[in-house]
Amino acid sequence: MIEPGMQTQPFRLSAHLSPSGRSPVGSVADVRFNGALVRLDRHALSALVDHSDPIIAAAGNVGGQLKIRVGDHWLIGSILAIRPDPADTANVIAELDLLGESEIGPGEVIEAFRLGLRVYPRPGDAVMPMSHADLRALFSQGGTDQIEIGHVYPTTNVRAALDIDALLSRHFALLGSTGSGKSNAAALIMHRIIDQAPNGHIVVIDPHGEYAQSFAGRGIVFNVENLALPYWLMNFEEHCEVFVTSEGMERELDKAILARCLARARIKSLAPDAPVNISVDSPVPYMMSEILVALDAEMGKLDNVSELSRYVRLKNRINEVLRDNRYTFMFNRALVADSMKSFLARILRMEDDGKPVAIIDLSGVPTDIVSVVVALVARIVMDHAIWSRVEDHRPVLLVCEEAHRYIPADRVLSGASVRRSLERIAKEGRKYGVSLGLISQRPSDLAEGTLSQCGTIITMRMNNDRDQQCIRNAMPEGGRSFLDALPALRKGECIICGDGVTLPVRVRLDLLPADRRPRSEDPSFSQIWSTAGKSGEALDGTIRRWRHKASLPATAGTSSTEIGVALLKPASTLLSDTAL
């Protein structure tokens, strides 16, 4: 390494000319395992400022690239820092992060770049500036399975591309602070994927109702009014998160009671020709009334009256959920029938209607069961992929907004099912054709193990030190040098590294048309507050919607009380519409 006071030979350009006549701008001074120090000639760099190629003209800037010729290969390095040369004021010392190597193509242009180094430079090797043609060759993915999403910074005509297969098969994470443009970036990537592969299957977990506007005409929005999520698709763990409210040892006892009653309800509701080897997790339709009947039966056998409180607590919670119209999208008499096939077809976008995106809008879902809904959707996506491997299976992309809410860094009791479902996809989804896209503004609150499963990391502006360190730990070695630029990124700019790109790159993302952008823009306080509004009328509508949630279309004209009573009524035959 070059230290102040060390005596070194000054660099002279006259001794280094490339075969094509293009002069180098410096030489290698010191080499280490993953980087090098190069001595750049100030006069050579100044002479390039007026060059017709803007990339050559910007040679020597921090964040730019240089290339070093070693035999019949180019070694590519990114400039991390520049400081004065203590041995010669006519030079500067640049610190390079060596990224990979390439063949030397016609005109000495980069060709067939690949990450990693097989050989290293030696002190004295010539350092050359990168050209526009070099950058085009460096960042072009080639082939037909790529999507272009923006321009390589700081160029205006070198396109940045993502490899679809590498991006999806190994999962990806989109990270950035609030207001950095994450939602627009996510919408851009999904739109470009659909443009390239119009028969894809994408499921978006949308906690704030942002994406309906973006995918109008290209997707279906499922919210509390039309989701129609059958409660009997829940496994036992998800049932417990909805109905078991106790903690500690009492919770374990309540879960044991629920397990016995749920098993009886599923078995009793079986059709005559149905298999009998089912468990509490089997997706078999049943009537909620059968659980209450089983609870009453067990209560009648109690010898110890002190245990009665557990049964009463469980029964009261079930009745509370059934009679609350906020839960009608899930606990609804119209959902008792075996609708598994139609539900899967709708959610996984197997219907041939030219709308490959399913948006699960959770903005109207009660907070206490949001995690259960996400867990159920994620588990269904994964289970379907496993059981359909022998069929004409189509891969699915599951995009999860606010991922840190469902896969937190700290393990907690509540929401365990959703964490387990998403972690399972992160670890095993690649084998079954399930891709996971995690979007988060707080990567430090996201489980580190899950983030490390993401092969491609797209990072937007990030100011928090803990978040930056978390991203640094998750990024591959070659991309960590870019992280110093995270706080300085503008809105709509990102750093991409991993399997989806040829090498780590800073990108200025394309701006979607207004009708395709998510509804995530910040309100203009000054503009809105400068005009008078109809506050009274607005409040009337707000209070009306607040107090009276809309019923599902299938139950139009039916009150929430009637729905609850219908779910409580015993039925002689589960799958008969006339018996409901």
Side-chain angles (χ1 to χ4, degrees), residues 52-70:
S52 58
D53 187 331
I55 306 303
I56 295 179
N61 289 340
V62 172
Q65 288 82 31
L66 296 171
K67 56 184 183 180
I68 305 169
R69 181 161 186 160
V70 177

Side-chain angles (χ1 to χ4, degrees), residues 246-440:
S246 52
E247 302 292 343
M249 182 57 68
E250 284 295 314
R251 181 177 181 83
E252 296 305 315
L253 295 172
D254 288 357
K255 287 171 64 176
I257 296 171
L258 180 60
R260 294 194 297 270
C261 296
L262 177 59
R264 291 180 187 176
R266 289 198 191 275
I267 293 174
K268 190 171 183 180
S269 300
L270 285 175
D273 58 342
V276 294
N277 56 336
I278 66 169
S279 69
V280 289
D281 291 329
S282 300
V284 177
Y286 70 91
M287 291 288 291
M288 287 300 301
S289 59
E290 296 297 347
I291 289 186
L292 296 174
V293 169
L295 276 171
D296 288 336
E298 291 217 358
M299 289 170 64
K301 299 177 183 178
L302 289 178
D303 295 329
N304 189 347
V305 181
S306 62
E307 298 180 7
L308 184 64
S309 60
R310 301 192 189 103
Y311 292 83
V312 173
R313 178 169 56 231
L314 189 56
K315 186 174 181 179
N316 287 342
R317 173 57 180 170
I318 293 175
N319 285 325
E320 175 188 343
V321 170
L322 295 181
R323 290 192 166 92
D324 191 333
N325 64 341
R326 296 178 303 157
Y327 301 91
T328 54
F329 73 93
M330 192 170 183
F331 296 91
N332 189 308
R333 65 176 180 177
L335 304 177
V336 179
D338 189 357
S339 58
M340 190 170 183
K341 180 179 179 180
S342 60
F343 177 77
L344 288 174
R346 289 190 309 127
I347 295 298
L348 299 181
R349 304 314 306 142
M350 296 177 182
E351 301 172 345
D352 187 15
D353 56 2
K355 298 180 178 180
V357 182
I359 301 168
I360 313 297
D361 181 358
L362 303 175
S363 57
V365 175
T367 305
D368 57 344
I369 65 167
V370 165
S371 61
V372 175
V373 173
V374 177
L376 179 52
V377 172
R379 182 176 54 80
I380 284 177
V381 169
M382 185 63 181
D383 286 349
H384 172 268
I386 292 174
W387 294 107
S388 66
R389 293 188 75 182
V390 297
E391 310 291 342
D392 181 23
H393 174 60
R394 296 297 183 96
V396 177
L397 167 61
L398 177 64
V399 178
C400 185
E401 269 275 10
E402 301 286 354
H404 56 276
R405 293 171 53 180
Y406 311 116
I407 324 174
D410 298 328
R411 291 189 175 272
V412 292
L413 179 63
S414 60
S417 60
V418 66
R419 179 183 181 124
R420 188 171 291 109
S421 295
L422 292 174
E423 284 183 336
R424 182 187 180 196
I425 293 176
K427 295 175 182 177
E428 306 173 15
R430 179 180 62 85
K431 304 175 184 177
Y432 301 100
V434 180
S435 177
L436 184 62
L438 301 177
I439 306 174
S440 175

Side-chain angles (χ1 to χ4, degrees), residues 131-211:
S131 68
H132 183 273
D134 286 326
L135 283 189
R136 288 180 65 89
L138 187 62
F139 293 108
S140 174
Q141 291 280 1
T144 59
D145 58 345
Q146 65 173 350
I147 54 172
E148 293 184 348
I149 58 172
H151 292 92
V152 176
Y153 180 88
T155 71
T156 57
N157 54 3
V158 177
R159 298 291 287 168
L162 289 172
D163 184 286
I164 296 179
D165 290 335
L167 177 75
L168 300 185
S169 64
R170 300 178 183 91
H171 313 307
F172 69 91
L174 176 55
L175 312 170
S177 300
T178 301
S180 60
K182 292 190 307 301
S183 298
N184 283 278
L188 171 67
I189 292 172
M190 287 187 281
H191 274 297
R192 295 291 161 83
I193 291 175
I194 296 171
D195 292 339
Q196 186 78 3
N199 296 314
H201 301 279
I202 302 177
V203 180
V204 182
I205 304 298
D206 183 9
H208 305 301
E210 296 178 333
Y211 292 94

